[in-house]
Amino acid sequence: MTAMNEIIVYLIQTLLSLFLLAMLLRFLLQLVRADFYNPISQFVAKMTNPLVLPLRKIIPSYASLDLASLLLALLLQLAGVVSILLLNGIALPGTLQLLIWSALGIIGLLVNIYFFALLAMIILSWVASGSKHPAIYLLYQITEPVMAPLRKILPSMGGLDFSPILVFIAINIIQIALRHIANSVGLYPGLVFGL
């Protein structure tokens, strides 16, 4: 690979991964019914509206699932995989294999979003407890649907919340399973965003 190809691959990966992250955040924000009037939610919506709104006319939401955003995320992942393969001179595999690779990347990125959101919530609970910042409130809205059921299961620990530990264990189990599934379907390491 030449230096120019490597630079182009890097730029494509960076731009597509940022837009992919925005698309998945939009999907998650609608899934957890986050505050739409939050400035961060507004930014994500405005950033993704040019692609989501036309597609939503064809593929409407189902319950709280924003299927248009999810499909666009899958297509962005697919476009990233295809462009990287072509720029590196690697022959394209079959369509089904590309779709499986893309779906694994989407699942991996969603798991990573939750990992970093939980990590940020833990740190912010020590540093900025009681803060009213919009980002903190949004992180709470994203992570609470995952942690609330675990809090009900765990006995009271004198004010300590051990539910993030259980969520981190579940995240690690999912990441291990995703890596093994990726290896079994022949996914090249580092090809998809999220794994």
Side-chain angles (χ1 to χ4, degrees):
M1 177 188 307
T2 66
M4 186 55 95
N5 273 3
E6 193 172 337
I7 291 170
I8 292 171
V9 167
Y10 169 74
L11 291 174
I12 288 173
Q13 282 182 324
T14 302
L15 292 174
L16 281 176
S17 63
L18 287 174
F19 205 75
L20 181 61
L21 178 65
M23 203 62 67
L24 287 176
L25 279 175
R26 181 181 180 123
F27 171 76
L28 282 177
L29 292 175
Q30 185 167 340
L31 181 68
V32 299
R33 292 190 168 99
D35 179 18
F36 181 74
Y37 296 105
N38 186 308
I40 298 168
S41 297
Q42 289 286 313
F43 171 74
V44 170
K46 286 178 184 174
M47 184 178 169
T48 56
N49 272 346
L51 291 176
V52 172
L53 293 181
L55 188 60
R56 195 173 279 160
K57 293 175 183 174
I58 302 168
I59 303 171
S61 296
Y62 176 75
S64 61
L65 293 175
D66 186 5
L67 298 177
S69 295
L70 192 59
L71 178 63
L72 279 170
L74 184 70
L75 292 175
L76 281 171
Q77 183 76 267
L78 182 67
V81 169
V82 168
S83 63
I84 291 169
L85 287 173
L86 290 176
L87 284 171
N88 287 319
I90 300 172
L92 292 176
T95 307
L96 181 61
Q97 191 168 14
L98 286 171
L99 286 173
I100 291 171
W101 289 357
S102 300
L104 286 173
I106 295 295
I107 295 167
L109 191 55
L110 284 171
V111 170
N112 286 338
I113 289 171
Y114 268 98
F115 175 82
F116 288 110
L118 282 170
L119 192 61
M121 282 299 299
I122 291 169
I123 293 170
L124 289 171
S125 71
W126 297 333
V127 176
S129 62
S131 176
K132 302 289 184 200
H133 194 276
I136 295 173
Y137 184 61
L138 208 57
L139 284 172
Y140 172 79
Q141 287 182 312
I142 290 172
T143 58
E144 188 58 23
V146 174
M147 294 194 337
L150 296 174
R151 283 193 192 109
K152 292 177 184 174
I153 296 170
L154 292 173
S156 178
M157 306 278 185
L160 296 175
D161 185 11
F162 288 105
S163 59
I165 294 172
L166 294 177
V167 175
F168 280 131
I169 290 170
I171 285 173
N172 284 329
I173 291 170
I174 293 169
Q175 287 175 332
I176 291 168
L178 283 174
R179 277 194 305 270
H180 284 276
I181 293 170
N183 285 337
S184 70
V185 295
L187 179 58
Y188 301 114
L191 185 60
V192 297
F193 318 120
L195 287 181

